Amino acid sequence: MGFDLFALAFDRRGGDAASMLVHNYPEAWANVYVGFDLSDSDPIRRAGEKSMTGFQWQDVDRYIPLSRGDRQLLQVARESGIGDGFTVPRHLPGEATGSCSFAVAPNARIPLEMLHAAEIVGAVALASARQLIGTGAYTRRAALTERQRECVLWSARGKTAGETAGILGISEETVNRHLKMARGRYSVHCRQMLILCALFDGVIGFSDVYDWWRPL
């Protein structure tokens, strides 16, 4: 397709986690990336969680804010022989995350006429990786009552127990009791982890929180 390099990465989350990594990146960069476990700070990975379609690396700051460390990481990759690239992301919260990237050497031109083909090839490659690794064993999720869900939702929207009580027309003590029972069902001990569990399980949706908070 006119690219010089590729990398396919797929990780299945959960208790039976599994991963796949296939690439032809320069050995020096691969050793640094894996050896220092840079996936957690990789701006391309983070941008992939914000995009539904493939994107060029030169446009990554349209998806996420880039810190000085992010720019340094991209510069090190360039010095290691990796120029601009195109990444096809797949992100299933709580289940799996993956990407298929195509790159060119530094100072080489991205084959813009082949990006549609790269999108299709990347999607097929990621679907095949998921099929090879499997989707993991299904485990029944913690079920919350409707009132518990409402309390978690308003907590995710930044409301205190007192504010949630006023919104729902119940006492603050009742709100705290519902949140405590919800934490118990997930076996977590703080508000942040309760919200994350509820988001990943689909008990509340990201849009339920973001659309309410986002300024009009």
Side-chain angles (χ1 to χ4, degrees):
M1 294 187 294
F3 293 95
D4 303 305
L5 306 164
F6 79 93
L8 170 67
F10 194 86
D11 293 294
R12 187 179 71 206
R13 309 299 193 188
D16 53 350
S19 63
M20 173 185 293
L21 176 62
V22 183
H23 68 88
N24 70 339
Y25 279 5
E27 184 176 359
W29 171 246
N31 290 339
V32 168
Y33 193 94
V34 174
F36 288 94
D37 192 19
L38 297 180
S39 61
D40 288 342
S41 56
D42 186 354
I44 304 301
R45 178 194 62 79
R46 300 201 318 273
E49 296 180 0
K50 298 279 288 182
S51 176
M52 295 181 65
T53 59
F55 59 92
Q56 282 186 247
W57 297 352
Q58 67 178 22
D59 299 327
V60 70
D61 59 354
R62 297 181 183 178
Y63 298 90
I64 61 170
L66 289 176
S67 67
R68 183 171 66 176
D70 292 333
R71 297 184 189 279
Q72 290 176 338
L73 182 61
L74 294 174
Q75 181 59 33
V76 171
R78 187 175 185 83
E79 293 170 354
S80 300
I82 305 173
D84 195 13
F86 180 78
T87 290
V88 180
R90 289 294 182 271
H91 181 60
L92 301 172
E95 180 189 326
T97 185
S99 65
C100 187
S101 296
F102 306 92
V104 294
N107 302 318
R109 184 186 72 88
I110 280 279
L112 298 177
E113 68 279 2
M114 296 301 295
L115 295 189
H116 288 302
E119 183 92 42
I120 295 170
V121 171
V124 172
L126 286 163
S128 298
R130 186 184 185 210
Q131 189 173 37
L132 287 171
I133 289 182
T135 57
Y138 174 79
T139 55
R140 181 175 293 279
R141 305 296 188 178
L144 303 185
T145 66
E146 184 59 30
R147 190 58 97 185
Q148 289 168 358
R149 176 190 175 279
E150 290 175 334
C151 291
V152 172
L153 174 59
W154 284 106
S155 181
R157 289 172 170 173
K159 296 300 183 181
T160 65
E163 291 170 331
T164 298
I167 292 168
L168 299 180
I170 56 180
S171 70
E172 183 175 348
E173 180 183 358
T174 300
V175 171
N176 284 325
R177 185 172 68 251
H178 284 312
L179 290 173
K180 180 178 180 180
M181 293 176 67
R183 290 195 300 272
R185 294 194 178 197
Y186 277 113
S187 299
V188 297
H189 304 287
C190 67
R191 168 180 173 269
Q192 292 87 343
M193 281 305 301
L194 173 60
I195 293 169
L196 282 175
C197 289
L199 283 168
F200 281 136
D201 282 353
V203 174
I204 60 176
F206 288 92
S207 61
D208 293 333
V209 178
Y210 181 71
D211 288 348
W212 179 87
W213 164 82
R214 180 179 55 188
L216 296 176

